[in-house]
Amino acid sequence: MEADSGHESVSLCTLDKLQTLLSQSLKYHFIVDKSKLIMDLVRLLFALLAFLALGVNAGGSGSCRFPAIYNFGDSNSDTGAISAAIAEVPPPNGESFFGHSSGRFCDGRLIIDFIAEKLKLPYLSPYLDSVGTNFRHGANFATGGSSIRPGGYSPFHLGIQLSQFIRFKSQSIALYKQQSPDTQRLPRPEDFSKALYTIDIGQNDLAYGFQHGTIEQVRASIPDILSQLDQAINKLYKEGARFFWVHNTGPHGCLPYNVIYDKSKPGNLDKSGCVKPTNEVAQEFNRRLKNSVSHLRKQLPLAVFTYVDVYSAKYTVISKAKNEGFVDPFDFCCGSYKGYHIDCGKKAIVNGTVYGNPCHNPSKHISWDGIHYSQAANILLANQIINGLLSDPPVSITEACHG
């Protein structure tokens, strides 16, 4: 049986509440009559049975069996939206796993792909792709360059992604009501409330701010950025979303692109070689994001939120690069920012020097193109993230329906 709205009522019978009820019964059993004690124990028994039934009905061992994933984000989880809407992400992107360009800014799979694998669901089709797409088990609204607030690198900010989802949901349900044959590739109406909603966005809000303003201006913008994220999550909740998996932002100061172009004062690099001021702003963003998620738990009592510390996962991989068998974490594989700037997938010859040739072994690199992570790095990151080692509460992706 798949995760359903029944979790909303049954999940209230947590172990903490069961323990409280038991302790109260034992504490007062000397001053109440015997029938009262029996009734308390009966209540406890039924509550315990309901709690155990939750694990069984959800698939055993706490497994939630989400029927679909709806993802919102930027290029860290874009599985083809930019290729469909603007221009194809060129090879050698995608070639380590897919054998061709897959619309991903990576040589292979992204963290969202490993999430889908763990949940035994197909890789997510981008909502903007109209050719050969199948949305039966979810859709990906993430688009490269996207931010939470409008006015950044991309027109597809979170508000637009949310509008796309609302239309997608209403059109899908309408087609089901019409008993249209087109529904075979669409999600079942009841699956929207059972699905997992993954959110991985915010990096570009900070990056755009760093590029066009000061560190303090970016820091001052964080409350408004997160306010708009809160509004988006509230809208998703009103649309029936109940299970949220929220990634914090990564260590901006550890991206090779930022290290190369950083114009801050000398001595601003930390022991791992990352730019401290930008990382400190990212950490501030994450502290406030975690507080925001805690507030949302109280504000939206029927929702289940998992906050995921992606920052720590990425910083750990970078700081321990050599121990993990990687080359220098700031030595990326595809494209060039040193001597001559050329994006991954392009080539140029300058004074007889060829710029843009990809490295021969992407699996030895943490960074794929100076901004995005390689598949090899994403494997390590996903192993930490998916298993709940860095989650609050500490639950794996397969148990993210439990409050």
Side-chain angles (χ1 to χ4, degrees):
M1 181 176 177
E2 297 171 340
D4 56 31
S5 59
H7 291 160
E8 296 172 4
S9 59
V10 178
S11 62
L12 295 177
C13 298
T14 60
L15 282 175
D16 287 341
K17 292 181 180 180
L18 293 175
Q19 290 171 348
T20 300
L21 181 57
L22 177 60
S23 63
Q24 288 175 343
S25 296
L26 294 177
K27 180 178 180 180
Y28 295 112
H29 79 278
F30 289 111
I31 60 175
V32 298
D33 58 35
K34 187 177 296 184
S35 61
K36 170 62 175 170
L37 174 60
I38 292 173
M39 288 303 298
D40 281 348
L41 293 176
V42 168
R43 286 169 55 210
L44 174 62
L45 177 60
F46 276 102
L48 180 60
L49 290 174
F51 181 82
L52 294 174
L54 173 62
V56 175
N57 291 339
S61 302
S63 178
C64 299
R65 295 188 181 180
F66 297 109
I69 303 170
Y70 294 101
N71 183 63
F72 303 85
D74 50 35
S75 57
N76 288 313
S77 58
D78 181 355
T79 56
I82 283 292
S83 287
I86 299 177
E88 183 179 5
V89 176
N93 287 286
E95 293 190 351
S96 291
F97 181 78
F98 298 98
H100 57 81
S101 177
S102 63
R104 293 160 173 80
F105 292 88
C106 179
D107 62 307
R109 290 163 292 178
L110 308 173
I111 292 174
I112 189 65
D113 295 314
F114 293 110
I115 287 176
E117 288 182 5
K118 183 68 174 181
L119 296 179
K120 298 181 180 179
L121 296 173
Y123 297 138
L124 291 183
S125 294
Y127 169 77
L128 293 174
D129 195 351
S130 60
V131 180
T133 50
N134 189 328
F135 300 117
R136 186 68 164 183
H137 296 287
N140 193 359
F141 299 89
T143 309
S146 292
S147 53
I148 294 171
R149 299 196 299 182
Y153 300 115
S154 167
F156 301 105
H157 56 84
L158 184 58
I160 295 297
Q161 294 181 27
L162 184 60
S163 296
Q164 291 171 341
F165 168 77
I166 292 173
R167 175 171 171 76
F168 171 77
K169 180 190 171 191
S170 64
Q171 291 293 100
S172 297
I173 293 174
L175 287 171
Y176 262 92
K177 289 181 178 179
Q178 296 168 14
Q179 297 183 335
S180 169
D182 296 331
T183 57
Q184 292 181 352
R185 290 177 173 267
L186 295 175
R188 292 175 288 267
E190 63 270 20
D191 286 351
F192 285 102
S193 63
K194 303 175 184 177
L196 181 66
Y197 290 77
T198 53
I199 299 172
D200 188 346
I201 194 167
Q203 176 172 314
N204 289 318
D205 292 89
L206 301 187
Y208 191 83
F210 292 140
Q211 187 175 353
H212 297 279
T214 66
I215 290 287
E216 288 310 313
Q217 286 173 330
V218 177
R219 192 187 301 273
S221 72
I222 292 174
D224 182 61
I225 294 170
L226 293 180
S227 174
Q228 295 197 35
L229 177 61
D230 280 7
Q231 292 173 34
I233 290 176
N234 270 276
K235 289 180 181 178
L236 284 172
Y237 183 83
K238 289 178 181 178
E239 290 293 323
R242 289 296 180 266
F243 308 112
F244 296 90
W245 182 267
V246 183
H247 288 186
N248 69 11
T249 195
H252 291 243
C254 296
L255 298 176
Y257 175 90
N258 290 335
V259 174
I260 292 168
Y261 284 114
D262 177 65
K263 298 178 181 178
S264 59
K265 297 178 182 179
N268 272 359
L269 298 183
D270 67 14
K271 62 182 180 180
S272 297
C274 301
V275 182
K276 287 190 289 187
T278 51
N279 273 354
E280 287 170 356
V281 174
Q283 290 168 343
E284 175 66 16
F285 178 92
N286 290 338
R287 282 191 292 271
R288 289 178 177 270
L289 174 61
K290 189 173 184 180
N291 290 337
S292 178
V293 171
S294 296
H295 175 72
L296 285 167
R297 288 192 182 106
K298 299 174 183 177
Q299 183 183 4
L300 309 175
L302 299 183
V304 178
F305 288 91
T306 306
Y307 169 88
V308 186
D309 187 7
V310 174
Y311 182 102
S312 292
K314 290 181 175 179
Y315 192 87
T316 298
V317 168
I318 290 166
S319 62
K320 297 182 178 180
K322 292 184 179 179
N323 294 338
E324 297 290 348
F326 292 110
V327 300
D328 187 316
F330 307 109
D331 181 11
F332 52 95
C333 182
C334 189
S336 174
Y337 295 117
K338 295 180 179 179
Y340 187 79
H341 183 154
I342 187 165
D343 293 332
C344 179
K346 297 180 180 179
K347 293 182 182 180
I349 300 177
V350 180
N351 298 326
T353 301
V354 178
Y355 291 89
N357 282 327
C359 66
H360 296 294
N361 192 353
S363 66
K364 292 295 183 180
H365 292 258
I366 289 176
S367 180
W368 165 241
D369 60 6
I371 297 177
H372 306 98
Y373 290 76
S374 68
Q375 175 179 258
N378 284 333
I379 290 172
L380 293 179
L381 297 173
N383 285 339
Q384 294 184 65
I385 292 167
I386 290 172
N387 293 327
L389 298 176
L390 298 170
S391 297
D392 177 31
V395 295
S396 73
I397 193 80
T398 59
E399 300 171 335
C401 64
H402 303 306

